[in-house]
Amino acid sequence: MTNTKLAILESGYASIRKIVRPAERRLALQDLQKEMKVSPTEFQKLIHELTIEADTTNDELGTFDQVMQADIEQEVLIDRLLMSGTVAMVASEVGCGKSSLFYQIMESVSTGNPLFGKLKVKKGKVLVIQVDESFINAKTKFKAMELKPDNNNVKFFWEWSPSQMPELEELIKSNNYDLVLMDSFGKLFGEAAGDMNNPECGFFMYELNSIAAKTGAAFFITHHLKKEQGKTNRKNEAPRIPTLGDFYGSNFVVAGVRDAWGLWQKGEDLDGTPMFGMKYLKDNSGLIEKGWVMNLDGCLESKRHSLSGGAGGLEEIDNRQNIKTKIHLLLKTATPEWLSSLELIKKLQECGFKSVEVNPKSVKKELLNLVNDAARSGIERRKVKTISKGRPKYEYRFIR
């Protein structure tokens, strides 16, 4: 009986995958589920198992050498914000300008111009899947923001459903999209699952991660916070800083995201300018330290975000970039000498970098960024032999 059911499942699913129209494909899946006489949840799990069985990744990347020799290098798409080949998410309450932030990101990546005029960006092609607002509302926002993306590098979808996942993967591959912006998770996947707490949402996250890994594209998805979050944000009460536990829906959603940001309005400046914080809550890509907050100012007239001053804003990012540049120059000048992080800190302080940011944590973070980007930076590291046990110590040098 088990073999008969498995044969029905395999042949049925193989035929369904060949169906071109997503709506027809979904109807066929519903018919197959009824024929199998299992619940929708169990049917989804069976399809998940079939997908894993059919995946060739374990064969193609089953050894250490295969992984190391594969052309699967990651790179930073937007400095301190987005990494290629990953699924990232930003969640906030309504009214924090998530869509506007996405349009600014779309503009920067399509043109290669720095985000907020400061964060370095790799120029690339962008696919925007926008179902949270209509094209009419979007056009009004485009005009207010005075957006000027590279039209040749941007494609919009105003209607989309998770049943089109196979088409999405092929579209990314055939058009070499570097970034996929999705607004919003609840609208795109929650309605399809029927309930944001449904394990099916976890299956969608698995599929997105699989597509990101196979194509090298970065996914950035907007999301909402739990309703309890809004209740604490009344007048005269301090705004609540988002945590991963505040992300709406199943734990499968947060578990499937590689990088997560929480966006909230901190208050208003004296002139009424809204001030926002964007906190790095999940740091799988190591873009910056977990818990770091990027401080942004909103503009009521243009709907744009900009970096504020001080910590988490222009001065700190400038300082961090200057430290990275100076470290690179110090190592380049010292070629072929090897230098430790402590020696580099001392040299930085001698050069006049007295800021609190010149500390072991910040310097080691920038050194890791340089090593990860060795193809362009030319920086390598080696482990230093010590008699003491504990964390390994490293030295660095410029090699080209």
Side-chain angles (χ1 to χ4, degrees):
M1 185 181 296
T2 301
N3 289 335
T4 301
K5 280 194 170 184
L6 182 60
I8 293 172
L9 178 66
E10 288 181 322
S11 61
Y13 187 57
S15 300
I16 290 169
R17 286 183 65 86
K18 296 176 183 178
I19 298 175
V20 176
R21 293 186 62 191
E24 184 181 353
R25 190 188 309 136
R26 187 156 194 167
L27 285 170
L29 280 169
Q30 291 175 356
D31 288 340
L32 181 59
Q33 178 248 316
K34 292 174 183 177
E35 184 178 355
M36 295 290 298
K37 297 181 180 180
V38 296
S39 69
T41 300
E42 287 302 317
F43 182 70
Q44 193 69 38
K45 291 178 181 178
L46 287 169
I47 296 298
H48 190 188
E49 293 294 339
L50 276 185
T51 304
I52 293 175
E53 286 181 14
D55 196 294
T56 59
T57 305
N58 289 343
D59 295 324
E60 297 169 356
L61 300 173
T63 68
F64 179 81
D65 285 344
Q66 285 176 320
V67 173
M68 296 304 294
Q69 294 169 11
D71 184 19
I72 52 174
E73 300 297 332
Q74 284 186 301
E75 59 182 330
V76 175
L77 191 60
I78 300 179
D79 187 32
R80 307 179 197 282
L81 184 63
L82 276 177
M83 179 74 77
S84 67
T86 62
V87 178
M89 179 175 283
V90 57
S92 78
E93 295 176 6
V94 175
C96 287
K98 295 188 296 295
S99 297
S100 296
L101 176 63
F102 264 36
Y103 295 147
Q104 281 183 257
I105 291 172
M106 174 266 291
E107 179 184 50
S108 289
V109 173
S110 71
T111 60
N113 295 326
L115 181 63
F116 311 130
K118 185 58 62 177
L119 302 180
K120 291 184 178 180
V121 171
K122 178 198 170 190
K123 184 176 181 179
K125 300 183 70 174
V126 186
L127 175 63
V128 182
I129 300 177
Q130 175 58 275
V131 299
D132 231 21
E133 66 178 15
S134 70
F135 49 83
I136 298 175
N137 293 333
K139 182 178 179 180
T140 301
K141 195 171 290 183
F142 293 168
K143 291 168 69 176
M145 296 177 70
E146 297 181 331
L147 287 171
K148 296 180 181 178
D150 184 337
N151 191 58
N152 295 321
N153 285 341
V154 180
K155 172 70 176 177
F156 285 92
F157 278 5
W158 303 100
E159 300 289 344
W160 190 83
S161 78
S163 63
Q164 295 172 289
M165 285 283 202
E167 287 83 0
L168 177 61
E169 181 176 342
E170 288 306 313
L171 183 69
I172 295 171
K173 288 179 179 177
S174 60
N175 291 276
N176 296 314
Y177 284 111
D178 299 280
L179 173 63
V180 181
L181 298 171
M182 308 183 88
D183 188 20
S184 65
F185 186 85
K187 190 76 172 178
L188 286 164
F189 300 102
E191 292 185 1
D195 180 357
M196 287 293 289
N197 291 301
N198 194 313
E200 189 174 356
C201 285
F203 178 60
F204 292 144
M205 293 306 302
Y206 167 82
E207 287 191 291
L208 288 177
N209 276 292
S210 178
I211 294 173
K214 290 176 183 177
T215 63
F219 282 75
F220 203 20
I221 310 168
T222 66
H223 196 34
H224 297 285
L225 300 174
K226 294 176 181 177
K227 290 183 179 180
E228 293 90 330
Q229 170 76 14
K231 293 180 181 178
T232 66
N233 203 11
R234 299 181 185 131
K235 192 174 181 179
N236 299 324
E237 290 188 17
R240 183 179 166 193
I241 300 173
T243 66
L244 288 176
D246 293 319
F247 282 43
Y248 187 72
S250 167
N251 289 333
F252 290 110
V253 175
V254 173
V257 172
R258 308 309 297 160
D259 294 304
W261 296 84
L263 177 67
W264 79 102
Q265 183 170 346
K266 297 162 54 178
E268 293 182 353
D269 207 342
L270 294 176
D271 62 357
T273 299
M275 299 183 297
F276 301 95
M278 191 162 71
K279 189 173 183 179
Y280 196 28
L281 300 174
K282 191 173 182 182
D283 61 341
N284 284 86
S285 295
L287 293 159
I288 203 164
E289 305 95 272
K290 182 180 178 181
W292 184 75
V293 176
M294 183 184 297
N295 287 322
L296 301 169
D297 288 334
C299 179
L300 296 174
E301 297 167 297
S302 71
K303 303 294 184 182
R304 284 181 177 265
H305 293 81
S306 61
L307 285 169
S308 65
L314 285 168
E315 285 84 352
E316 182 180 353
I317 288 175
D318 272 342
N319 190 67
R320 286 170 177 262
Q321 186 59 45
N322 288 338
I323 289 175
K324 183 178 179 180
T325 301
K326 195 64 179 180
I327 290 173
H328 190 260
L329 180 60
L330 287 171
L331 289 169
K332 192 173 183 180
T333 304
T335 305
E337 184 181 350
W338 292 88
L339 296 174
S340 68
S341 59
L342 291 178
E343 289 172 319
L344 284 165
I345 290 172
K346 184 178 179 181
K347 287 181 178 291
L348 284 170
Q349 292 172 338
E350 291 172 354
C351 292
F353 279 82
K354 302 297 183 181
S355 167
V356 69
E357 288 300 329
V358 181
N359 55 50
K361 187 175 182 179
S362 61
V363 170
K364 288 177 180 179
K365 186 68 181 177
E366 299 306 334
L367 282 167
L368 180 59
N369 290 336
L370 288 167
V371 171
N372 287 339
D373 195 26
R376 284 182 289 193
S377 70
I379 303 300
E380 69 172 355
R381 76 177 184 186
R382 70 178 181 184
K383 190 179 293 186
V384 179
K385 292 182 179 180
T386 61
I387 57 174
S388 60
K389 296 181 180 180
R391 296 190 189 95
K393 297 183 182 299
Y394 296 98
E395 291 179 329
Y396 303 83
R397 73 171 179 180
F398 181 78
I399 56 175
R400 64 168 178 79

